[in-house]
């Protein structure tokens, strides 16, 4: 509940009005680029962490997905996961 409350507090007033019983009803959003979240910001101190968390919250509520960069996961692991996903989604 605490994370939802802080996320709602970070929303614009028009969006806060759409919060009903703890659930956000996001306004339709159109976009032309995939949002990118740079996790290097997480290591820049508590204020930047809060801004990053609010940004991710807003992206999740308004768009629903994003790309994460500078996450620290080895490229070999990322490549293996993509390979496994390709094989999985190629199944009949």
């Amino acid at each position: 509940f605490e994370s939802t409350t802080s996320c709602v507090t970070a929303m614009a007033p028009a969006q806060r009005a759409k919060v009903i019983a703890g659930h956000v009803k996001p306004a339709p959003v159109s976009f032309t680029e995939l949002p990118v979240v740079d996790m290097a910001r997480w290591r820049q101190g508590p204020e930047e962490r809060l801004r990053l968390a609010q940004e991710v919250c807003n992206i999740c509520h308004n768009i629903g997905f994003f790309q994460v960069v500078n996450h620290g996961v080895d490229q070999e692991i990322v490549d293996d996961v993509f390979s496994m996903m390709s094989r999985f989604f190629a199944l009949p």
Side-chain angles (χ1 to χ4, degrees):
F1 178 74
E2 184 177 323
S3 63
T4 302
T5 303
S6 63
C7 181
V8 170
T9 303
M11 292 179 171
Q15 284 191 303
R16 274 198 304 269
K18 296 178 182 179
V19 176
I20 300 172
H23 298 285
V24 176
K25 290 182 144 184
V29 175
S30 62
F31 62 96
T32 57
E33 296 179 13
L34 181 65
V36 176
V37 173
D38 186 350
M39 290 306 295
R41 293 170 53 197
W42 186 258
R43 296 181 286 280
Q44 296 177 4
E47 286 132 15
E48 189 60 26
R49 282 185 182 188
L50 178 59
R51 282 191 289 274
L52 178 63
Q54 290 170 335
E55 180 182 313
V56 169
C57 180
N58 288 331
I59 291 170
C60 289
H61 283 283
N62 293 310
I63 296 173
F65 53 92
F66 52 90
Q67 177 183 6
V68 178
V69 297
N70 296 318
H71 43 66
V73 177
D74 290 333
Q75 188 61 45
E76 183 178 349
I77 294 172
V78 172
D79 294 342
D80 287 348
V81 168
F82 273 93
S83 176
M84 285 184 253
M85 287 188 324
S86 293
R87 289 193 312 266
F88 175 78
F89 286 109
L91 292 172

